[in-house]
Amino acid sequence: MNKNKQIIKKVGLPPGTLLHIGSARSEQIKIKMLCYNCNDWSEMEIDSIDDIIKDQDTENICWIHSSGVHIVKIIEKIGTIFKIHPLVLEDIVNTNQHPKLEENEDYVYVILKMIHCDENKKIEFEQVSIIVGKNYILSFQENDNDIFKQIRDRIKSTPGKIRAKGADYLAYALLDCIVDYYYVALEYLGERIEVLEDQVMLDPKPEVLKEIHGLKNEMLFVRKAVWPLREIINALARGDSTLFQKDTLIYLRDIYDHMIQVIDSIEMYRDMVTGMLDIYISSISYRTNEVMKVLTIIATIFIPLTFIVGLYGMNFKYMPELEWEWGYPAILCIMALISLGMIHYFRKKKWL
């Protein structure tokens, strides 16, 4: 279903009404629960929401990840177990949300956009929602591609820093993973810009203009998805929330520095794309001017020749040159000399 039609269906509904807005999907939502501490870990796939156990007194950190948000009943049950506000759940199932941060007494809620390249080297955007509690993390992603696999592998492999710290450090790891994907997407965009630059300079075809406009629109969506995250990370790094320990704030500040670099790269690429559009227009104008110059030179060379032909094409009886034996070859030689002289003059002036 079209997103605009889905939004229209939401008009007039009470606040907190869960209505999925996004790409239609028919498969079942996949939910994984990974619990860990310094010494051990356990992972299970949730077949029934009743299998989720919320125990605030346990020393384990529980990370519950949902691949898909299109079945609102499941999202609503998870929210009931963890006492998540209905307005937050409403934002989770609405994949058309802008990145934002909401701080609650018991949890912190973050919406951000995941950017990655698909198999066809096309930029795709995916909404990711993260809820950070005292000893739990709830993460919801729009699709079922496993974007946090590396973090799960780190938790399972060795009892490192991520298992020694709390849920706030796991939240940092998730945010850092998403920002790392930004670098991958920007590298791909940079390669496309380099290829387009060469095409604009060497062979500015109409197809190149279409690619430039497509890339410009992609850069606009990337900026729209990434720019708000800078303020979100900055707000978390200030340490206003009691759920984030002081020793985690330095890691959040590191993400903030990365976000500044990402945003600077996005602005630079946008300027480069805009510059390519100007170069394309200039190249087309230059080529047009070159063609017009050649045509003008050809027309200029033939102007005196046309005059001579027109002069001797007049029907006068008494034209002495008409009776000359060598009149015809002489006129041809004069016309040739005029043409060669004009060509020499144009080259001397560097018009040719």
Side-chain angles (χ1 to χ4, degrees):
M1 183 183 294
N2 187 283
K3 280 189 177 183
N4 292 331
K5 294 182 179 180
Q6 294 173 334
I7 294 173
I8 291 174
K9 288 180 63 177
K10 192 175 178 62
V11 174
L13 295 178
T17 301
L18 302 191
L19 178 65
H20 175 247
I21 297 177
S23 301
R25 298 176 59 193
S26 58
E27 65 271 22
Q28 185 67 24
I29 290 179
K30 298 178 182 178
I31 301 177
K32 290 184 179 181
M33 183 169 67
L34 176 60
C35 298
Y36 63 90
N37 53 38
C38 295
N39 303 316
D40 198 8
W41 62 270
S42 63
E43 184 180 28
M44 62 180 295
E45 286 202 13
I46 303 298
D47 296 324
S48 173
I49 301 301
D50 297 332
D51 296 335
I52 298 178
I53 300 175
K54 178 174 178 288
D55 187 357
Q56 295 288 352
D57 298 327
T58 180
E59 295 181 357
N60 291 337
I61 303 298
C62 287
W63 173 21
I64 299 172
H65 179 73
S66 173
S67 297
V69 294
H70 52 285
I71 304 180
V72 295
K73 290 183 180 180
I74 295 179
I75 306 301
E76 187 175 16
K77 287 182 179 179
I78 295 176
T80 302
I81 293 175
F82 289 90
K83 298 180 181 179
I84 306 300
H85 197 280
L87 291 178
V88 174
L89 300 177
E90 182 182 7
D91 289 341
I92 291 175
V93 298
N94 181 2
T95 61
N96 202 29
Q97 289 288 332
H98 293 290
K100 67 176 183 177
L101 168 68
E102 292 184 8
E103 297 186 11
N104 193 286
E105 184 178 352
D106 298 324
Y107 56 85
V108 173
Y109 174 49
V110 180
I111 293 180
L112 60 161
K113 296 296 182 179
M114 179 73 183
I115 304 175
H116 53 83
C117 301
D118 61 8
E119 296 177 353
N120 299 321
K121 295 297 183 180
K122 182 181 178 182
I123 295 293
E124 285 192 343
F125 300 89
E126 178 182 4
Q127 179 167 304
V128 178
S129 302
I130 300 175
I131 297 177
V132 186
K134 180 180 179 181
N135 61 346
Y136 68 88
I137 292 285
L138 304 179
S139 57
F140 305 85
Q141 69 173 103
E142 187 176 349
N143 300 318
D144 59 354
N145 52 329
D146 197 356
I147 60 177
F148 296 132
K149 181 179 183 302
Q150 294 179 344
I151 297 178
R152 268 197 295 274
D153 293 340
R154 284 169 54 191
I155 295 174
K156 299 174 187 178
S157 60
T158 56
K161 186 178 294 185
I162 193 169
R163 279 170 54 178
K165 293 183 176 293
D168 55 337
Y169 189 85
L170 176 58
Y172 149 75
L174 299 180
L175 294 174
D176 186 57
C177 178
I178 291 175
V179 174
D180 287 342
Y181 275 104
Y182 290 167
Y183 282 102
V184 176
L186 287 177
E187 183 178 355
Y188 163 70
L189 289 172
E191 292 175 355
R192 283 184 59 189
I193 290 174
E194 289 180 3
V195 172
L196 278 178
E197 281 181 334
D198 294 337
Q199 293 178 349
V200 167
M201 296 302 296
L202 300 176
D203 190 15
K205 295 180 179 179
E207 293 79 6
V208 176
L209 179 61
K210 185 178 180 181
E211 290 187 26
I212 292 175
H213 277 295
L215 185 58
K216 188 176 181 180
N217 290 334
E218 283 188 0
M219 294 302 304
L220 181 64
F221 284 115
V222 169
R223 184 181 185 275
K224 184 179 178 181
V226 172
W227 188 271
L229 189 55
R230 182 181 67 169
E231 296 304 322
I232 292 174
I233 300 299
N234 187 35
L236 292 174
R238 286 199 301 264
D240 297 335
S241 175
T242 57
L243 295 173
F244 285 83
Q245 304 299 320
K246 289 185 178 181
D247 56 350
T248 307
L249 300 183
I250 187 172
Y251 297 103
L252 293 174
R253 288 194 288 270
D254 182 64
I255 297 182
Y256 180 77
D257 293 337
H258 292 169
M259 287 304 307
I260 296 296
Q261 296 176 10
V262 169
I263 292 174
D264 288 344
S265 298
I266 291 174
E267 295 300 323
M268 180 184 67
Y269 286 160
R270 288 186 68 205
D271 292 340
M272 291 174 67
V273 172
T274 303
M276 276 196 295
L277 191 58
D278 296 335
I279 292 173
Y280 175 85
I281 296 174
S282 299
S283 298
I284 295 298
S285 299
Y286 176 77
R287 286 195 168 195
T288 303
N289 292 336
E290 286 295 309
V291 172
M292 293 303 298
K293 183 176 73 173
V294 172
L295 294 177
T296 303
I297 289 173
I298 293 174
T300 305
I301 291 173
F302 277 90
I303 286 175
L305 307 185
T306 305
F307 170 75
I308 295 173
V309 171
L311 179 65
Y312 285 97
M314 293 187 295
N315 297 320
F316 287 99
K317 180 178 180 181
Y318 299 104
M319 294 183 70
E321 296 87 351
L322 297 178
E323 304 296 332
W324 291 356
E325 181 179 356
W326 299 98
Y328 177 70
I331 292 299
L332 290 180
C333 290
I334 292 172
M335 294 171 68
L337 289 173
I338 291 174
S339 299
L340 292 174
M342 295 183 70
I343 291 173
H344 174 72
Y345 178 78
F346 292 153
R347 285 185 174 176
K348 187 177 181 180
K349 289 291 186 178
K350 297 183 178 179
W351 294 347
L352 278 177

